Amino acid sequence: MQGTRKRKQTHLQPSAKSPKSTVNSGCAAAAAASVESPFPDYPRPTPEECCSVRDDLLSLHGFPEEFVKYRNQRSKTKSKSADFGEDDDERESVLDGLVKTILSQNTTELNSERAFNSLKSAFPIWDHVLAAESKCIEDAIRCGGLAPTKSSCIKNLLSSLVERKGKLCMEYLRESSIDEVKAELSLFKGIGPKTVSCVLMFHLQHDDFPVDTHVFQIAKTMGWIPSSANIKNTYLHLNNRIPDELKFDLNCLLYTHGKICRRCSNKKVGKKNKEVEDLGCPLVAYSKQIIVENKIPKEYQMSKVGT
């Protein structure tokens, strides 16, 4: 989902703070996820931790402005407002969302947005993109980086979609389950697990929890995963442990915090600034929780929780 910084640091405007949450029976149901955690005996994060971290980050940052429109769409979907009425035109198509996600890889949000707008300006409809020469597509999206790779992925996606469905539309995925969406999108060359997870959460309003480098590093710093975990099994573990109703807000907040907090992103912090960093980050308290308190099994105790 690296050389110089690949994601811009945004200055967040505090939004209205939601009240402190209590963990209801739905939170406990997180353990009933369809895919078992690769670390079934690892006790973190608890539903209570997830609620607390979400609330602490919300108090610190407010809700990230860049994700507000997706949050609003989720609210309408969850309230079963199938008819978006006047707002229907504002809802992105699934295909638009998928291409935006492809263009967002290894670049900043600003450059990703510019690349998408440039692509749509050059080719207003997807049929035009499909008919265009690859070089023309590359030129349109060059500002987003990795133009040849992303152009090839987009062309393959559109070609395969027409071949399989007869038209350039993916709205049929709105009626599909998480497992069905994963199975369907895995058929398209170049569409990886993180891209699928982002489409599920942002564009299909499903309860999924994408894991990028920011989220992975914070989870590791807080001891939410064993030190042996990689991004793939971290995705499985966190989707199993985090309550569905917290996944969207918590993911957006962890991602945003990871871009801003040098400590949580594991960037080097000088001794002079370390105390300031620790005092300013609300996640320090979670990363310093001891093994005994959380009853972490012996096989995971070498995970060095909190390092």
Side-chain angles (χ1 to χ4, degrees), residues 106-263:
N106 298 100
T107 191
T108 65
E109 284 94 347
L110 180 60
N111 285 340
S112 171
E113 185 176 350
R114 284 174 175 169
F116 183 80
N117 290 339
S118 175
L119 180 66
K120 295 297 283 186
S121 176
F123 309 104
I125 61 176
W126 291 117
D127 294 275
H128 294 170
V129 179
L130 179 60
E133 294 291 334
S134 295
K135 181 64 168 58
C136 296
I137 300 174
E138 289 176 25
D139 290 341
I141 65 174
R142 197 169 302 283
C143 59
L146 300 176
T149 300
K150 293 176 181 179
S151 171
S152 175
C153 183
I154 293 170
K155 284 280 283 186
N156 286 333
L157 167 65
L158 299 179
S159 298
S160 298
L161 187 57
V162 167
E163 183 179 338
R164 297 183 63 250
K165 297 295 181 180
K167 59 180 179 179
L168 294 174
C169 178
M170 303 191 84
E171 295 306 294
Y172 63 93
L173 290 176
R174 294 193 187 278
E175 307 301 321
S176 302
S177 68
I178 290 179
D179 289 341
E180 289 170 340
V181 171
K182 288 180 177 180
E184 176 72 11
L185 292 183
S186 69
L187 299 175
F188 296 99
K189 183 179 178 181
I191 307 300
K194 190 177 78 171
T195 296
V196 173
S197 186
C198 288
V199 171
L200 280 166
M201 187 177 78
F202 289 114
H203 304 289
L204 293 173
Q205 293 78 50
H206 278 298
D207 296 316
D208 208 59
F209 195 84
V211 175
D212 72 339
T213 53
H214 296 294
V215 173
F216 175 66
Q217 186 57 54
I218 293 178
K220 201 169 186 179
T221 299
M222 290 198 296
W224 279 13
I225 52 175
S227 61
S228 61
N230 55 37
I231 287 183
K232 181 178 180 180
N233 52 37
T234 295
Y235 166 76
L236 297 174
H237 178 70
L238 294 183
N239 268 283
N240 189 272
R241 297 289 305 181
I242 297 173
D244 281 349
E245 62 269 30
L246 298 180
K247 285 179 178 176
F248 182 82
D249 281 11
L250 183 57
N251 193 277
C252 294
L253 288 162
L254 287 175
Y255 168 74
T256 297
H257 187 70
K259 292 192 297 178
I260 296 172
C261 179
R262 295 179 62 85
R263 180 186 180 280

Side-chain angles (χ1 to χ4, degrees), residues 262-263 267-278:
R262 295 179 62 85
R263 180 186 180 280
K267 296 174 183 174
K268 290 184 178 180
V269 179
K271 291 182 179 179
K272 184 178 179 180
N273 297 324
K274 186 177 188 304
E275 184 178 352
V276 176
E277 289 282 346
D278 282 356

Side-chain angles (χ1 to χ4, degrees), residues 280-299:
C281 176
L283 303 188
V284 173
Y286 301 95
S287 63
K288 288 182 177 178
Q289 291 188 50
I290 60 175
I291 288 174
V292 174
E293 177 186 345
N294 292 284
K295 299 179 181 178
I296 294 177
K298 288 183 179 180
E299 60 266 32

